[in-house]
Amino acid sequence: MQVLQPYSFLLLAYLLPAILLLYLLKRRYQDRVISSNLLWQRLFEDLEANRPWKKFQHHLLLWLQLLVAILLVFALSRPSLPADTIRTSSAIIVIDISGSMLAKEGKQTRLEIARQKVRSFIDHKDSDQQITLIAAGRVPRLLISQSDQESELMNVLDQLQPELGSSDLDAALSFAHALTTATNQSEILLVSDGASLSKQPASLPHRSIQIGSAKPNVAIGASSLEENEGKQELFVRVDQYGKVKNQVAVSVHDLQGNLLATQSLTMENETSQEVHFSQLPDQPVYQLDIRPIYDALAQDNRRYQMKTFQKKYPVHMLGSPSIFLQKVFSLSDQLELSTNPLTSNEGFSVVNGGNQWANQPALYFSTQLQGLANSKSSIHTAVSGQIENTTPHMIGEGLNFGELSVANLSPVRVPDWADVILQIEGKPLLVAGEYQGKRVVLFPFDLEKSDLALKPYFPVLMMQIAHWLVPELDAGAKESVPDETVEVKVPPATNEIQLSGFMQGKRRVIQGKVKIRLPEAVGLLKMTAVGAKHPFYFIRVGFPENESNLNLQKITTTPLVLHDQTLQGKQEFWWWLTWLVIIVVTWEWVVFKRGY
Amino acid sequence: MTQLFEPAFLARLEMLRLTGAKSIRGNYTGERSSKVVGSSLDFADYRPYVPGDDIRQIDWALYARLQKWMLKTYLDEREMSVSVYLDTSESMVEKKEIAVQLAAALCYTSLYHGDRCAIYSVTEEIHRILPMLQGRKKIPQFFSKLQQLHFAGRGDVGNAFATAKGLPQQAGCSIFITDGFFQTGWEKSLLRLQASHQQVILLQVVAKEEREPSYSGDLRLIDSESTEAKEIAISPYAQTLYRERFQKYIQQLEKWCLNRGIRYLFVPAEEAVETICFTLFREVGILR
């Protein structure tokens, strides 16, 4: 406890003797006639009550008045206790909302405790003190700026949600320091657990309020799937943080919730153990769960392992052999050049020359393709110029085409189902569309009679065409993080997809793709073409591995030199003393009215 | 008479009489047994015959056995002189009603049973209100005088009994009704009464406020008799001390009286006169 005005105690040196003196000199006696004061006189003599100090000994009213004087002087000295209050007229509070803040501390999460701390700051602030709130998530976010309205601040605080990722404390603190330049003097407070902090931030806070305590936590660190003689083998790495001996049950389920396998582990301090599940039935996705005895964070106890090994799709080369095309499509691990006709719709054909349609999705380099070649105008023209990207399409996405020279560009009659993706000098150069459930890409010229194959973007362009022709190349799975936008190519003839898992709803397909903004959640998102039975795509959103480590690290602070010494982060309690004075004075009045 | 007591009370009082610790040595014949040999029916002793004795008193049966002339003597019956001293100083104002009633009750029982009775008021001096009188016819006079008593002035027991003026001339019983707040000289006064062949009874009448004062705070306590003031801060603690001091004072007074053969009775002023007469007086043997 400190007093802000210690010189007030000098008043006691005057007040207390003054009260005593007044009692000695100016006592007001009431006359009372009694039959005999003989015994009182003898009592007086016994007690030596005529001596001043003896008079005071049992005088309640005097003691009450002395107490009031002491309390008043104490209140005037402005006593204060160290308190969680902001010390400057304006403060910036940076709140860590990373995944580790979801760890349980008793019945509350660390984020809830952090909210309470900040609420306490808001409650105890003066009416003219301003608070800026910054959420330190993956990117720093300004929640509210320089507000002195408690209700506004409380509302913002109530709406604060955690992010299932790592927080960029450094960026958040730099942001806070940048904001302080706008104000005269602001205290920067960091409310964080300090967990998973790889290094001290470059910009230091003035005060760090550390939330929580070191808690044991067990997480699924990694997993992988391998195929061995037609059976799946699953490897799971389980990590333990915290010094405790733990029992962990690891189980594997399929998407329908059927238990496929389970194992039990005993884990010592700060160790990782690998669990091997063999002979698992073939499933597109495996759900891995752990159930530790001691565990502070539940979000990292589940992981989805998807089949990631690639299937090879055949590429049937037709027409004139082209070394460029053969080389390009042989670069991909997912494609396999084939000279045999395709027996199913899997894969695609590359038709170099000729006028015949293939039975599968196909890439054509042809000047005479039936139905597309303009029969009325069969004059091939030589063009050379800048390629224009006429229609945004995934085939040409991200490519800088530049100039192209074509010796025999054939005029094309563009059907309704096709779009002109690229053109040169106003003439279609690349036409793509979907016809009778098959995707078709046409270059209306001979590859050998152009310099297209020599362009740096040629391999990328060919691969993008392959991925558009066979969306299954992209099918399977993808790993992402919360709050990220993902783009997924959908199978042909799909106009709408159904989402299930941690996100529900339908999405329209635009140009063979859907864009999805992932929510702030971890788990598995399944994407199914409307009308189809099985999902064609899985997105796994995992909990960041580094956030599973809940061990606390002290965050260094930098001192704040206060210009105004009256604001020292202390809570004054002179008003409580004032209330006490009022109570004592009331008591004194009662004593006075009672006579003693 | 009816102003002081109810007839029923007097009827009950008539059944009691004032007792003395030792035999009475009165001057006149009365109804009370005396040490003096006299003419009552109570046998006292034998004594040899001397010429001049009444030969009717010779015990002839004894002569037949012993061949000696012996006379039978009998105790005489005398009246008792009762002196009632009533403290009429200012301090007794609050308690005057009960004090007068007690004095009246004691006079009544004495006169009713043939004793002689006198009343004195005690302040700084002793004033005789009524001289020694005898007979039931005098009772209204006693009651009237007692009711007319004026309680005022300063009391000084030491000075009052300093002269023989206020002391009884005849042996008997002296009853002193007072509040007992004596400054000085009270011991000598009581001893003087004893020395006057008096069986002394001290009745200390004290009001509740005097025993357990309820007043508190910064007070200037003014003595009702001396008007002497004492400034005092009376706290609950001081009140407790006062009560203890009062008890101690009473005990000292009682012990002193007991050691000197003086009968002492503490009488709470708020107590009913019936309770005092028929319970307290009988318990200590003042009335039987």
Side-chain angles (χ1 to χ4, degrees):
Chain A
M1 190 181 69
Q2 281 190 347
V3 289
L4 297 178
Q5 291 177 356
Y7 295 109
S8 305
F9 285 110
L10 290 175
L11 277 174
L12 279 179
Y14 297 97
L15 271 179
L16 298 189
I19 291 171
L20 291 171
L21 202 64
L22 283 173
Y23 257 77
L24 278 175
L25 301 177
K26 203 179 176 182
R27 299 181 75 181
R28 198 177 58 180
Y29 292 94
Q30 288 180 328
D31 288 348
R32 185 181 181 94
V33 178
I34 59 171
S35 54
S36 173
N37 61 13
L38 172 78
L39 291 180
W40 282 114
Q41 200 162 355
R42 291 189 180 177
L43 189 66
F44 242 59
E45 288 162 5
D46 287 353
L47 290 173
E48 296 180 327
N50 49 350
R51 296 188 185 175
W53 55 88
K54 288 284 182 183
K55 282 182 183 175
F56 297 145
Q57 194 171 352
H58 300 288
H59 208 294
L60 183 58
L61 214 55
L62 169 67
W63 291 117
L64 288 176
Q65 286 178 7
L66 291 176
L67 181 62
V68 167
I70 290 168
L71 287 173
L72 276 175
V73 170
F74 193 39
L76 281 173
S77 70
R78 292 177 64 192
S80 62
L81 290 169
D84 283 341
T85 57
I86 54 177
R87 295 185 289 177
T88 49
S89 56
S90 172
I92 299 170
I93 302 177
V94 179
I95 309 164
D96 185 0
I97 56 168
S98 64
S100 63
M101 293 292 280
L102 285 169
K104 287 272 186 182
E105 295 284 341
K107 290 183 177 176
Q108 290 181 301
T109 64
R110 289 178 176 176
L111 186 63
E112 285 166 347
I113 297 170
R115 272 205 202 102
Q116 284 178 358
K117 285 277 182 191
V118 179
R119 273 197 198 100
S120 164
F121 284 122
I122 296 169
D123 279 338
H124 291 128
K125 82 175 187 63
D126 292 340
S127 57
D128 56 343
Q129 282 184 310
Q130 295 179 329
I131 291 179
T132 299
L133 294 178
I134 295 174
R138 282 180 291 273
V139 289
R141 194 153 43 92
L142 181 65
L143 300 174
I144 189 167
S145 178
Q146 292 189 347
S147 174
D148 56 4
Q149 300 297 314
E150 284 189 22
S151 56
E152 278 182 10
L153 290 163
M154 291 292 190
N155 280 342
V156 168
L157 202 59
D158 290 340
Q159 289 164 10
L160 185 63
Q161 293 299 319
E163 287 186 1
L164 297 168
S166 298
S167 60
D168 192 349
L169 286 183
D170 210 355
L173 289 169
S174 299
F175 183 34
H177 275 282
L179 290 177
T180 57
T181 57
T183 58
N184 291 330
Q185 192 179 30
S186 295
E187 185 185 20
I188 298 173
L189 295 95
L190 174 63
V191 185
S192 168
D193 57 356
S196 64
L197 196 67
S198 57
K199 62 183 176 62
Q200 288 294 331
S203 303
L204 297 175
H206 297 124
R207 202 161 13 143
S208 170
I209 292 104
Q210 197 150 32
I211 306 293
S213 55
K215 293 277 179 187
N217 184 42
V218 182
I220 302 176
S223 63
S224 66
L225 194 67
E226 285 184 12
E227 189 172 7
N228 187 10
E229 296 178 351
K231 289 289 183 181
Q232 311 299 321
E233 287 189 58
L234 185 62
F235 297 88
V236 183
R237 194 191 79 214
V238 181
D239 300 328
Q240 169 160 297
Y241 305 92
K243 292 173 181 171
V244 66
K245 189 175 181 179
N246 217 336
Q247 289 286 333
V248 185
V250 187
S251 58
V252 183
H253 293 81
D254 61 15
L255 280 182
Q256 286 72 43
N258 300 315
L259 179 66
L260 303 177
T262 184
Q263 283 190 38
S264 182
L265 296 177
T266 301
M267 303 196 74
E268 299 292 341
N269 300 342
E270 305 273 355
T271 53
S272 295
Q273 283 194 33
E274 192 173 86
V275 187
H276 178 214
F277 294 98
S278 58
Q279 303 287 314
L280 290 175
D282 191 14
Q283 291 289 331
V285 178
Y286 296 93
Q287 178 185 310
L288 312 174
D289 288 295
I290 55 169
R291 288 193 305 279
I293 292 176
Y294 303 107
D295 189 55
L297 193 60
Q299 281 75 9
D300 55 6
N301 290 356
R302 174 169 288 179
R303 184 184 173 96
Y304 292 93
Q305 179 60 48
M306 296 159 290
K307 277 173 72 174
T308 53
F309 34 85
Q310 302 290 323
K311 180 179 179 180
K312 289 191 179 292
Y313 290 88
V315 181
H316 187 207
M317 306 298 288
L318 291 170
S320 309
S322 167
I323 189 71
F324 296 110
L325 293 173
Q326 285 178 0
K327 284 290 181 190
V328 158
F329 290 119
S330 63
L331 288 174
S332 171
D333 292 338
Q334 291 178 268
L335 298 176
E336 189 175 38
L337 296 181
S338 169
T339 52
N340 299 324
L342 301 179
T343 54
S344 67
N345 266 337
E346 291 185 333
F348 64 98
S349 299
V350 178
V351 182
N352 189 19
N355 58 359
Q356 295 298 315
W357 285 83
N359 293 326
Q360 292 80 28
L363 165 64
Y364 296 93
F365 286 93
S366 173
T367 57
Q368 300 164 355
L369 190 62
Q370 283 182 3
L372 291 179
N374 194 337
S375 55
K376 292 178 183 175
S377 172
S378 58
I379 301 164
H380 301 164
T381 53
V383 291
S384 180
Q386 196 76 25
I387 295 175
E388 298 163 24
N389 204 337
T390 53
T391 307
H393 197 279
M394 67 169 283
I395 289 176
E397 195 174 83
L399 298 177
N400 186 12
F401 291 104
E403 290 190 347
L404 185 70
S405 297
V406 180
N408 64 336
L409 184 66
S410 171
V412 177
R413 185 169 55 84
V414 181
D416 294 341
W417 49 266
D419 294 317
V420 177
I421 310 300
L422 302 175
Q423 63 180 17
I424 186 167
E425 293 181 354
K427 299 179 179 67
L429 184 69
L430 172 58
V431 177
E434 204 167 310
Y435 180 61
Q436 293 181 345
K438 297 190 294 266
R439 288 182 174 177
V440 175
V441 176
L442 170 66
F443 286 96
F445 57 88
D446 288 334
L447 181 62
E448 287 76 11
K449 291 183 179 176
S450 74
D451 59 355
L452 179 65
L454 304 176
K455 297 293 181 185
Y457 55 79
F458 178 69
V460 180
L461 178 65
M462 289 299 110
M463 290 315 296
Q464 290 191 169
I465 289 170
H467 277 259
W468 186 73
L469 288 172
V470 186
E472 288 82 359
L473 284 171
D474 293 318
K478 182 174 185 177
E479 192 162 355
S480 187
V481 291
D483 200 33
E484 192 174 65
T485 302
V486 291
E487 195 173 71
V488 177
K489 294 164 193 164
V490 300
T494 304
N495 297 321
E496 201 172 29
I497 61 156
Q498 175 75 46
L499 302 176
S500 58
F502 64 75
M503 192 176 175
Q504 305 291 328
K506 289 182 176 177
R507 293 290 187 277
R508 293 287 303 169
V509 177
I510 301 168
Q511 294 173 359
K513 293 184 292 186
V514 286
K515 270 188 179 179
I516 299 163
R517 174 84 180 266
L518 296 173
E520 201 63 56
V522 292
L524 187 71
L525 178 65
K526 291 176 274 189
M527 301 168 72
T528 312
V530 172
K533 272 188 174 181
H534 302 291
F536 70 93
Y537 206 85
F538 298 97
I539 297 177
R540 179 181 77 188
V541 180
F543 192 79
E545 190 182 341
N546 58 339
E547 289 296 314
S548 294
N549 187 354
L550 301 179
N551 292 330
L552 309 182
Q553 293 180 46
K554 191 170 174 58
I555 298 171
T556 313
T557 56
T558 183
L560 175 69
V561 180
L562 290 172
H563 302 319
D564 183 1
Q565 291 299 317
T566 57
L567 296 165
Q568 287 287 339
K570 293 176 178 62
Q571 181 145 19
E572 294 184 42
F573 56 94
W574 59 265
W575 54 87
W576 290 112
L577 293 170
T578 312
W579 276 113
L580 207 56
V581 166
I582 292 170
I583 291 167
V584 176
V585 166
T586 310
W587 184 16
E588 195 178 327
W589 184 79
V590 170
V591 170
F592 177 75
K593 290 298 284 183
R594 202 186 59 184
Y596 199 81
Chain B
M1 195 189 294
T2 53
Q3 288 176 354
L4 272 174
F5 301 116
E6 294 292 326
F9 172 80
L10 294 175
R12 286 184 69 193
L13 201 61
E14 286 164 8
M15 298 165 71
L16 299 173
R17 63 188 305 169
L18 196 65
T19 61
K22 53 190 179 183
S23 298
I24 304 299
R25 292 195 303 171
N27 291 335
Y28 305 99
T29 302
E31 296 179 0
R32 209 176 274 276
S33 296
S34 168
K35 271 184 171 181
V36 180
V37 176
S39 57
S40 74
L41 294 176
D42 295 332
F43 171 76
D45 204 355
Y46 286 100
R47 71 171 174 84
Y49 170 81
V50 292
D53 286 339
D54 188 355
I55 58 169
R56 288 176 297 179
Q57 292 181 349
I58 294 173
D59 188 346
W60 295 111
L62 192 67
Y63 175 76
R65 290 201 307 270
L66 302 173
Q67 299 298 312
K68 287 182 181 176
W69 287 341
M70 302 293 282
L71 262 66
K72 258 179 150 179
T73 59
Y74 296 87
L75 290 174
D76 198 6
E77 284 186 337
R78 299 290 175 93
E79 92 290 352
M80 186 170 68
S81 297
V82 178
S83 303
V84 177
Y85 290 89
L86 183 56
D87 185 352
T88 57
S89 64
E90 183 79 32
S91 66
M92 289 292 287
V93 169
E94 285 179 31
K95 301 151 282 192
K96 68 178 181 183
E97 190 177 345
I98 188 69
V100 166
Q101 281 185 320
L102 290 179
L106 291 168
C107 288
Y108 182 84
T109 188
S110 300
L111 293 169
Y112 186 83
H113 292 291
D115 292 330
R116 298 162 67 87
C117 194
I119 304 175
Y120 301 90
S121 76
V122 182
T123 52
E124 286 178 306
E125 294 176 343
I126 295 175
H127 300 280
R128 193 175 65 188
I129 306 301
L130 278 174
M132 278 294 175
L133 295 173
Q134 192 179 25
R136 293 175 187 173
K137 289 182 181 176
K138 303 292 182 189
I139 290 172
Q141 191 182 348
F142 271 81
F143 280 10
S144 174
K145 284 286 181 187
L146 282 169
Q147 284 178 297
Q148 289 168 12
L149 277 176
H150 180 59
F151 287 73
R154 190 171 179 170
D156 185 352
V157 177
N159 184 57
F161 286 93
T163 59
K165 179 187 167 190
L167 295 177
Q169 300 300 315
Q170 298 165 358
C173 179
S174 290
I175 302 167
F176 188 14
I177 302 171
T178 176
D179 54 9
F181 292 116
F182 306 126
Q183 290 287 350
T184 52
W186 59 274
E187 299 98 330
K188 279 186 181 176
S189 301
L190 293 177
L191 289 174
R192 276 201 188 101
L193 268 178
Q194 273 193 312
S196 306
H197 307 290
Q198 295 296 307
Q199 172 68 52
V200 181
I201 298 172
L202 179 64
L203 299 181
Q204 188 177 13
V205 182
V206 182
K208 185 174 172 61
E209 190 73 358
E210 292 165 342
R211 302 194 307 270
E212 296 170 359
S214 60
Y215 44 83
S216 59
D218 288 343
L219 297 176
R220 183 180 287 109
L221 299 177
I222 302 167
D223 193 299
S224 59
E225 293 178 15
S226 65
T227 64
E228 188 182 335
K230 195 76 193 170
E231 290 174 349
I232 187 166
I234 300 176
S235 63
Y237 176 72
Q239 288 174 335
T240 307
L241 287 180
Y242 178 89
R243 283 195 289 272
E244 289 171 2
R245 180 75 204 180
F246 179 80
Q247 287 300 324
K248 196 175 169 187
Y249 179 74
I250 295 294
Q251 285 164 6
Q252 281 177 347
L253 195 59
E254 187 177 11
K255 190 179 176 186
W256 187 89
C257 291
L258 188 69
N259 289 341
R260 282 153 185 82
I262 296 173
R263 281 191 281 175
Y264 167 86
L265 180 65
F266 176 79
V267 180
E270 67 278 7
E271 205 68 77
V273 68
E274 289 87 351
T275 310
I276 298 167
C277 291
F278 302 125
T279 307
L280 297 180
F281 282 178
R282 292 181 74 181
E283 276 176 4
V284 294
I286 294 172
L287 291 180
R288 276 190 187 147

